[in-house]
Amino acid sequence: MVAVVTTRSRDAHDVRRRIWDQALGSKAIEKYQTKIAFHAHLLERRVTEDAGQVINITELFERFGFDVMGDVHYDRRFRLLETDDNDHILDIFKAGAVTLGTLTPLPWMIQLLNSLPITGKGFASYANWAYGTVINRIINEPHDQDTMSWLLKAPVSSDYLNWLLGDFLTLTTGGTEPVISALTFLFYHLAKSPEHVSQIRNEQGEATASSGVDQRKRMQHLDALIFETLRLHPSIPSGGLRMVPHHGLQIGEVHVPGGATVVTPQYSLHRCEDCFEHADEFIPERWTTRPEMVRNRTAFLPWGIGKETNPSF
């Protein structure tokens, strides 16, 4: 299978990327808000029901992330926040994605291990589940617009299904892990610094999930909290691999030869004092009332940069 994040063809990537930009653009995301709000209320209810007890909030965020992903991307409700009956879906995903984080610097090794009978067993189950889900989505029209609605509009070709499967797996992984990670670390910092909670509530006012994008944009402190969380805890700390153009690259006094593989670890870059004052500290005000603490704004790259950046960021 092939996907927008794995193809080596620039032309194929550009064509597919335009479809993704429509599927996850601001206009499309606005239409998904009702679904997201529905699952947010379920999450709130689960937390309220367990008030006064020790809560594994990471597990709840995991269930929330999958519920939102399924509903928004292919109009399927897993109901993980409501029941344990579908927990096998989480098991299938974890088994299929186990090699991704560890072997990110060796993408060819991921392909090799996933193709072997023993080491690739988990990914095979994941791929089979993905195939069945994609076929089911092709057959059944969604109740509301979802991300797959856009991907299904792609021109039909001999590798049409391969692209759908690859992009489906990209949606599943990219639509869950970053959400779970960001929410977990955000609430960790809110628990450590509860004064930020009252600031969010003060600026929230009438801004709800149904208030419209313009009104929610006024929640500057919430945005600052999210930015600061992503700065200290990027979803992909190691960053993505890139190949230097054939003519090479000059960085200061260092010449990097063409064809070399380079990586800019976002975790290290975001904690660099040359770019951020008190870089290891959680100070969301650097994004609002203390802009001097951001010494180099271009160093903030939680979702990458250029044509390969996250289309919804």
Side-chain angles (χ1 to χ4, degrees), residues 185-186 189-190 192-197 199-200 203 219-233 276-294 297 300:
F185 283 115
L186 172 59
H189 286 292
L190 289 177
K192 288 189 65 177
S193 306
E195 66 274 9
H196 293 298
V197 177
Q199 288 182 256
I200 295 174
E203 74 175 5
M219 301 183 66
Q220 296 181 0
H221 193 65
L222 176 58
D223 281 347
L225 287 165
I226 295 172
F227 274 40
E228 190 69 348
T229 298
L230 294 175
R231 184 184 70 83
L232 288 175
H233 313 284
F276 303 97
E277 186 178 345
H278 299 301
D280 287 327
E281 298 180 30
F282 185 79
I283 307 175
E285 289 79 10
R286 74 175 77 241
W287 303 106
T288 52
T289 58
R290 301 177 65 183
E292 70 281 359
M293 297 191 72
V294 180
R297 181 63 174 77
F300 181 58

Side-chain angles (χ1 to χ4, degrees), residues 2-21 163 241-245 305-309:
V2 65
V4 69
V5 296
T6 61
T7 180
R8 294 191 177 191
S9 167
R10 170 58 63 186
D11 291 339
H13 173 274
D14 290 347
V15 170
R16 203 69 181 183
R17 177 55 193 258
R18 284 193 288 270
I19 300 173
W20 275 75
D21 285 340
W163 273 102
L241 303 176
R242 295 292 182 268
M243 181 178 289
V244 176
I305 191 172
K307 293 183 178 181
E308 282 76 29
T309 190

Side-chain angles (χ1 to χ4, degrees), residues 163-188:
W163 273 102
L164 281 180
L165 284 171
D167 281 348
F168 173 86
L169 293 178
T170 302
L171 282 173
T172 303
T173 305
T176 53
E177 290 294 333
V179 173
I180 297 166
S181 171
L183 283 175
T184 300
F185 283 115
L186 172 59
F187 275 71
Y188 162 78

Side-chain angles (χ1 to χ4, degrees), residues 44-57:
E44 180 185 20
R45 189 177 72 187
R46 281 291 300 269
V47 173
T48 302
E49 290 174 351
D50 295 335
Q53 304 177 45
V54 176
I55 301 174
N56 186 340
I57 198 66

Side-chain angles (χ1 to χ4, degrees), residues 4-267:
V4 69
V5 296
T6 61
T7 180
R8 294 191 177 191
S9 167
R10 170 58 63 186
D11 291 339
H13 173 274
D14 290 347
V15 170
R16 203 69 181 183
R17 177 55 193 258
R18 284 193 288 270
I19 300 173
W20 275 75
D21 285 340
Q22 290 179 302
L24 295 174
S26 57
K27 291 183 179 179
I29 289 178
E30 181 65 17
K31 296 180 180 180
Y32 306 147
Q33 292 303 316
T34 301
K35 290 185 174 183
I36 297 173
F38 171 79
H39 296 291
H41 289 312
L42 289 179
L43 174 63
E44 180 185 20
R45 189 177 72 187
R46 281 291 300 269
V47 173
T48 302
E49 290 174 351
D50 295 335
Q53 304 177 45
V54 176
I55 301 174
N56 186 340
I57 198 66
T58 303
E59 180 187 346
L60 288 184
F61 287 152
E62 187 176 65
R63 293 174 178 275
F64 169 76
F66 263 84
D67 277 348
V68 170
M69 178 274 299
D71 207 359
V72 167
H73 291 325
Y74 38 94
D75 196 45
R76 180 174 176 180
R77 288 190 173 173
F78 295 124
R79 300 178 64 239
L80 295 173
L81 281 170
E82 302 172 71
T83 177
D84 297 334
D85 294 344
N86 291 324
D87 282 8
H88 65 282
I89 295 173
L90 293 176
D91 296 333
I92 290 174
F93 170 77
K94 292 175 182 178
V98 67
T99 59
L100 297 181
T102 306
L103 297 177
T104 293
L106 300 171
W108 57 269
M109 181 65 77
I110 296 175
Q111 300 295 327
L112 175 61
L113 292 179
N114 286 341
S115 66
L116 298 176
I118 297 177
T119 55
K121 186 176 181 180
F123 181 78
S125 297
Y126 185 30
N128 288 335
W129 171 77
Y131 178 82
T133 305
V134 168
I135 295 300
N136 182 69
R137 174 59 186 81
I138 293 174
I139 296 173
N140 298 291
E141 284 293 319
H143 297 92
D144 302 295
Q145 180 175 296
D146 58 7
T147 307
M148 286 293 290
S149 297
W150 295 95
L151 299 179
L152 288 170
K153 294 178 183 178
V156 177
S157 61
S158 59
D159 57 355
Y160 178 75
L161 186 56
N162 257 344
W163 273 102
L164 281 180
L165 284 171
D167 281 348
F168 173 86
L169 293 178
T170 302
L171 282 173
T172 303
T173 305
T176 53
E177 290 294 333
V179 173
I180 297 166
S181 171
L183 283 175
T184 300
F185 283 115
L186 172 59
F187 275 71
Y188 162 78
H189 286 292
L190 289 177
K192 288 189 65 177
S193 306
E195 66 274 9
H196 293 298
V197 177
S198 58
Q199 288 182 256
I200 295 174
R201 288 171 175 166
N202 287 338
E203 74 175 5
Q204 183 177 11
E206 297 300 320
T208 64
S210 58
S211 298
V213 173
D214 291 338
Q215 187 168 359
R216 291 196 302 277
K217 281 183 178 179
R218 301 193 191 106
M219 301 183 66
Q220 296 181 0
H221 193 65
L222 176 58
D223 281 347
L225 287 165
I226 295 172
F227 274 40
E228 190 69 348
T229 298
L230 294 175
R231 184 184 70 83
L232 288 175
H233 313 284
S235 297
I236 306 178
S238 60
L241 303 176
R242 295 292 182 268
M243 181 178 289
V244 176
H246 65 87
H247 51 74
L249 181 66
Q250 192 70 28
I251 304 176
E253 298 180 356
V254 178
H255 178 76
V256 183
T261 299
V262 298
V263 61
T264 303
Q266 295 166 357
Y267 184 93

